[in-house]
Amino acid sequence: MSSVVDTAAQSAAPDPATRIDRPHGRPVVDSGAALELVGSLLASVAAVWLVFTVAGLSAPFGLGLCSLIGFVVLYGVVEWRLHGILHAKDRLATLYVWLGAGIAFVPLAAIIIYVLVKGLPVLASHFPHFLTGDMSKAGPAEPVTAAGMSAAIVGTLEQVGLATLFSVPIAVFTATYLNEIRGWFSLVVRTVVDSMTGTPSIIAGLFIYLLWVYPRHTNGPSGFAASLALTIMMLPIVTRSAEEVLRIVPGSLREAALALGSPQWRMILRVVLPTARAGLVTAVILGIARAVGETAPVLFTAGGASKMNWDPFHGQQSDLPIQIYQLIFSPSVNGVREGWGGALVLVLLVLTLFVLARVVGSGRRSGSRSRRFAFVGRRQVDP
Amino acid sequence: MTTVNQLGAPTDQFGSAANHGAGPPGPGMAPAGNTPARLEATDVSAWFGSNKVLERISLTMEPGKVTALIGPSGCGKSTFLRILNRMHELIPTAALSGSVALDGVDVYGPQLRVTETRLRVGMVFQRPNPFPSMTIAQNVLAGLRLSGTRVQNADDLVQECLERAGLWRETRNRLNESGVSLSGGQQQRLCIARSLAVRPRVLLMDEPCSALDPISTGVIEETIRKLCHDVTIVIVTHNMQQAQRVSHNCALFLLDGEGMPGHIVEAGPTTQVFDDPRDPRTADYVHGRFG
């Protein structure tokens, strides 16, 4: 009992010298506000369900949509009556933002979940073989165990890798030109880059087919040809995003470099590009993400193959989009299942590439580098 | 003109940058080095497009002295400062007449490339702008890397420049942290150290303290007082007390009216400009009666 009194006395009159400041906890959720939210939702669902049942309607989507609209209206009215119009507007605006984010997130999550549900059983039940084997023994009548994605994985990695190798230097040079040199010609270049962004991917495939695959008819389609088509797809995307990134490098840094007696090319190489490094990596990731999933340009140019082909320069090569395309349209149930497995492999591959690129892009000179310290609160002056 | 190097490093250490691709230096060409240079502007007029912003400015910035440029906003002080190391050329519509001579060599003439001019006439900006992609030590050495100069004992040079900029004590144990992890005042001193590393003979400062608190300002003024023995300093400031505290000579810029070009009303020793001005407008301005 006495100890309780002591603590009470201490908290009532704390000694300023020994008092420890503690941050306030997070504001407690207002149970009244939560009640209003949940209550409005339940009331709306119940009312709409009642109407649908009485009217004999059976439409789950319509029920959901009507409930949602009813909920928003009801919630707004409740807040208005209880707390006034200003509060109601604030709550409704918050609700709209959350709803919008939720609605935007739904299709994204749905795709990932659907691919997982369809593909995971195939990948898990034939785990090592589905990644290591190729499709040479698989056929419509064969079981899933005969199938493997290795040829497609190798093809995708080689084709996208080559395309990245070709497009990234050109794109970064072009972005540098557009942003650092300028002049009348940059208007022309920008227009061309913009119209390239809108080029249908099948045109890129057709272009490379006529330029490279068809004239060398004896050589035929190859992984290299596919990488050329993918380069065309990647170039404008990487260029435009790299340009945006270079544009936000502060002009004061360029001035500082020039005032130190730097020629322009060294200023770009040593100051502008390193400052924009993290953003440039993001630009490259955007380009890779676009290229990995492209089907139309590689259909013409890589041709697809059931056997493993390590050489991107000779012979037809498979890749994941082609493989998925062929399997999903195959007449056998097993083929379709393999296709879903392939889709999951593609999603996982993209994820791996993203993580890798992030690590390479921001972590190489770890610790003291740009992103970690750029936004850390400034330290006090030590005069 | 002999080049004195504090570290006793080979004297051609910076000569290689000065001659970078330009062949042997011509007679009378000012080498980069550790002695302050005389900077002389003669009849400088400047335009942005068709708008004339400076009217026949003639001003001598004496070696080893601090020259302050004062005057109201928009009267062309910063423009004049940027003309001194050709930074105003970054604005495409800028045009110029008159001449700027560095120890008798026209910086707009054929003897000096623009990069060589800027190597000799360094600049510190209004807002601290260390390179965020570099560490503190790399920031100090940035000018050498950017001008393609080899440096033998980089660690000594980093220490020397940070000491001269009054930043060594605070940063000696964190040289490998990012330059932007410093406070604003420290960043500005880092920018001064960065300018000093290429051994300029003139240092231009464009309101270097306007973004800083009084304590950091005091530290930077102390730095300026120490530096002026090695390098000629030209400083733009809106702070009359600062001009009185740090400068030996002073030039007052004024406009005659809206849209008119700026010109020098009075230039001379700071004590004279502040205590015994010849022009009544100077007296009014420095005592805060207008502007």
Side-chain angles (χ1 to χ4, degrees), chain A residues 252 255 258 266 368-369 379, chain B residues 82 118 129 133 176 178:
Chain A
S252 65
E255 280 197 336
L258 292 175
R266 271 217 182 84
S368 61
R369 281 276 151 170
R379 311 208 173 154
Chain B
R82 292 165 75 90
R118 290 174 186 159
N129 50 6
S133 60
N176 290 323
S178 168

Side-chain angles (χ1 to χ4, degrees), chain B residues 71-83:
Chain B
S73 295
C75 67
K77 307 181 299 293
S78 291
T79 304
F80 177 68
L81 196 76
R82 292 165 75 90
I83 282 171

Side-chain angles (χ1 to χ4, degrees), chain A residues 53-124:
Chain A
T53 312
V54 170
L57 287 170
S58 167
F61 184 76
L63 185 109
L65 195 66
C66 292
S67 303
L68 196 63
I69 294 169
F71 163 58
V72 171
V73 172
L74 199 59
Y75 186 60
V77 171
V78 166
E79 293 295 311
W80 173 42
R81 296 313 302 166
L82 288 179
H83 304 289
I85 191 75
L86 194 65
H87 189 79
K89 280 179 180 171
D90 173 49
R91 300 310 307 165
L92 277 184
T94 311
L95 189 67
Y96 281 136
V97 171
W98 277 100
L99 277 178
I103 289 169
F105 184 70
V106 163
L108 200 69
I111 290 173
I112 305 263
I113 290 170
Y114 199 60
V115 171
L116 266 176
V117 167
K118 288 279 202 176
L120 201 57
V122 182
L123 183 60

Side-chain angles (χ1 to χ4, degrees), chain B residues 1 10 20 31 37 43 57 64 76 81 91 95 123 125 156 161 211 217 225 228 230 234 248 277 280 282-283 289:
Chain B
M1 184 64 65
H20 174 67
D43 286 338
I57 306 285
L81 196 76
I91 295 159
M123 192 159 198
F125 295 84
D156 294 343
C161 293
T217 303
R225 272 191 288 272
C228 69
D230 306 326
V234 187
H248 303 98
T282 312
R289 282 194 282 274

Side-chain angles (χ1 to χ4, degrees), chain A residues 177-188:
Chain A
Y177 173 77
L178 289 178
N179 197 52
E180 306 289 330
I181 315 284
R182 306 207 173 145
W184 66 270
F185 191 60
S186 67
L187 277 177
V188 180

Side-chain angles (χ1 to χ4, degrees), chain A residues 109-257:
Chain A
I111 290 173
I112 305 263
I113 290 170
Y114 199 60
V115 171
L116 266 176
V117 167
K118 288 279 202 176
L120 201 57
V122 182
L123 183 60
S125 57
H126 312 287
F127 175 59
H129 183 262
F130 195 71
L131 293 180
T132 54
D134 63 17
M135 301 295 289
S136 52
K137 294 190 196 71
E142 301 295 327
V144 179
T145 42
M149 288 292 145
S150 67
I153 294 172
V154 166
T156 287
L157 287 179
E158 285 184 353
Q159 289 158 22
V160 173
L162 282 174
T164 309
L165 211 62
F166 298 148
S167 62
V168 167
I170 305 175
V172 171
F173 275 126
T174 311
T176 308
Y177 173 77
L178 289 178
N179 197 52
E180 306 289 330
I181 315 284
R182 306 207 173 145
W184 66 270
F185 191 60
S186 67
L187 277 177
V188 180
V189 174
R190 186 171 286 120
T191 313
V192 170
V193 170
D194 279 346
S195 47
M196 269 177 84
T197 315
T199 308
S201 56
I202 197 147
I203 303 286
L206 201 60
F207 175 65
I208 295 300
Y209 178 77
L210 291 175
L211 193 80
W212 183 263
V213 180
Y214 179 71
R216 305 184 155 219
H217 210 49
T218 47
N219 205 0
S222 67
F224 175 70
S227 75
L228 289 183
L230 291 178
T231 301
I232 296 178
M233 297 314 299
M234 282 180 75
L235 252 181
I237 295 165
V238 182
T239 304
R240 281 319 295 260
S241 10
E243 193 203 347
E244 294 300 322
V245 170
L246 292 183
R247 190 173 293 159
I248 58 173
V249 173
S252 65
L253 297 181
R254 295 188 180 87
E255 280 197 336

Side-chain angles (χ1 to χ4, degrees), chain A residues 15-26:
Chain A
D15 181 5
T18 58
R19 198 187 65 188
I20 299 167
D21 287 341
R22 286 200 188 80
H24 294 297
R26 293 169 66 85

